[in-house]
Amino acid sequence: MTAVTAETPVAARSHPGPRGLFRAMARVHRTALLFWIGLVAVEVVALLWSLGPGANAAWAEHRAMGCHSGSPNLGCDMPGPAMLRYETAVTLAAGLLSLLPVLTAAWAGGALIGRELEDGTAQLAWTQSVTPARWLAAKLAVPALLLVPGTLAVTLVHRALWSAHSDLARAMGWREWHDDSVYEANGILATVHPLAALALGVLAGVLLRRALPALGVAVLAVSTLIWELDELRPRLWPTPPGTPALMHQHPSSHFWPLQLVETGIVLAVAALATATAFLVLRRRTGAAV
């Protein structure tokens, strides 16, 4: 067995495992970690409240106004306080989930990758403890392992809310299954969109190596991707014969076919961005990768 001496290179003495890399990233990015935990907590609490007391109060107010009858009163299009609170809570939770890809891209491009390359902390880590490839793999894997369970938790609660009270949303006239926020929050897109945003943000950071330019490019790339997907979505699965390719022309049975096709596209974008980021890093660091 070879003894470690004072002359032994530092890289040979220290090869932190996955647990060590996770701890190091959690320490450096603890503000982002706490923000993510708080965001998930706010969304879950808002949806759970909406699922229980919020929906009960909104239903009671809706019926008290006579809106449940076949000929609703004229005031039914002006929701009362209970319905407004319910609508606000559900809209807030779904809206934050829709905003998550942009937030993820901005953080990944700016703080996660761009700033460390700009400040030289990444290069220091490569010479002392980890290879560039391992460093980049950790930068992708750790946030992904946090994003997936958080978004899935919000999605499961949102699906439970929609299954229990979708009639209330329709009765209030402001939510349908194909509306963007509902459609994304009820399926796996709420999880795969942030993963693609993470990959695009990392790629922007590796390419530009400066925090602010990488942040801007990452946000632009993800915003463009989301916009293009929204435009493409109605055409991802055939509509009934004789109907235009619009989301409201799709029956609700098309929910999962549309979700799965779009998921495949988004995961392909994420895979391409990830592979490109590793390739760019390899070319810039040479044999160290």
Side-chain angles (χ1 to χ4, degrees):
M1 181 180 295
T2 303
V4 176
T5 65
E7 290 78 20
T8 304
V10 177
R13 297 182 219 162
S14 177
H15 292 282
R19 188 173 301 176
L21 289 173
F22 178 84
R23 289 174 180 170
M25 285 192 60
R27 183 168 59 251
V28 173
H29 300 285
R30 57 185 174 275
T31 301
L33 175 61
L34 292 174
F35 175 82
W36 172 236
I37 294 173
L39 184 65
V40 172
V42 166
E43 294 190 52
V44 170
V45 169
L47 289 172
L48 287 174
W49 177 85
S50 303
L51 181 60
N56 294 336
W59 270 123
E61 187 175 72
H62 194 64
R63 294 189 180 97
M65 297 170 64
C67 300
H68 63 289
S69 62
S71 300
N73 297 330
L74 293 177
C76 290
D77 58 350
M78 300 178 63
M83 288 188 286
L84 281 175
R85 287 193 294 269
Y86 173 83
E87 179 180 353
T88 299
V90 177
T91 302
L92 172 66
L96 289 174
L97 204 60
S98 299
L99 187 61
L100 181 60
V102 175
L103 296 176
T104 302
W107 173 74
L112 184 66
I113 300 295
R115 186 175 64 190
E116 294 201 17
L117 290 174
E118 184 176 4
D119 294 345
T121 54
Q123 293 84 340
L124 181 62
W126 302 341
T127 61
Q128 291 189 345
S129 57
V130 297
T131 64
R134 194 174 182 184
W135 172 84
L136 185 58
K139 293 292 185 180
L140 284 160
V142 174
L145 290 174
L146 294 171
L147 282 170
V148 170
T151 51
L152 286 178
V154 176
T155 294
L156 289 174
V157 182
H158 192 280
R159 284 187 62 84
L161 172 66
W162 184 257
S163 298
H165 300 298
S166 59
D167 289 344
L168 176 59
R170 297 190 187 96
M172 294 171 65
W174 56 276
R175 283 164 64 86
E176 293 288 346
W177 73 268
H178 51 73
D179 292 344
D180 288 344
S181 60
V182 177
Y183 176 78
E184 293 167 7
N186 272 341
I188 52 179
L189 292 180
T191 297
V192 297
H193 281 178
L195 292 179
L198 173 66
L200 289 170
V202 166
L203 176 59
V206 170
L207 285 171
L208 299 175
R209 295 181 289 178
R210 294 178 61 192
L212 287 179
L215 184 155
V217 169
V219 168
L220 179 61
V222 170
S223 299
T224 302
L225 174 65
I226 297 298
W227 186 84
E228 291 291 347
L229 289 172
D230 289 344
E231 293 294 311
L232 180 63
R233 185 173 294 158
R235 297 185 287 276
L236 295 179
W237 199 257
T239 53
T243 59
L246 300 171
M247 281 300 288
H248 66 270
Q249 296 290 346
H250 285 275
S252 59
S253 60
H254 286 188
F255 175 84
W256 281 114
L258 287 165
Q259 283 266 333
L260 293 175
V261 173
E262 184 170 344
T263 296
I265 295 172
V266 174
L267 290 179
V269 171
L272 180 61
T274 300
T276 304
F278 275 99
L279 179 61
V280 171
L281 188 65
R282 179 175 183 174
R283 288 183 175 178
R284 288 182 174 171
T285 57
V289 181

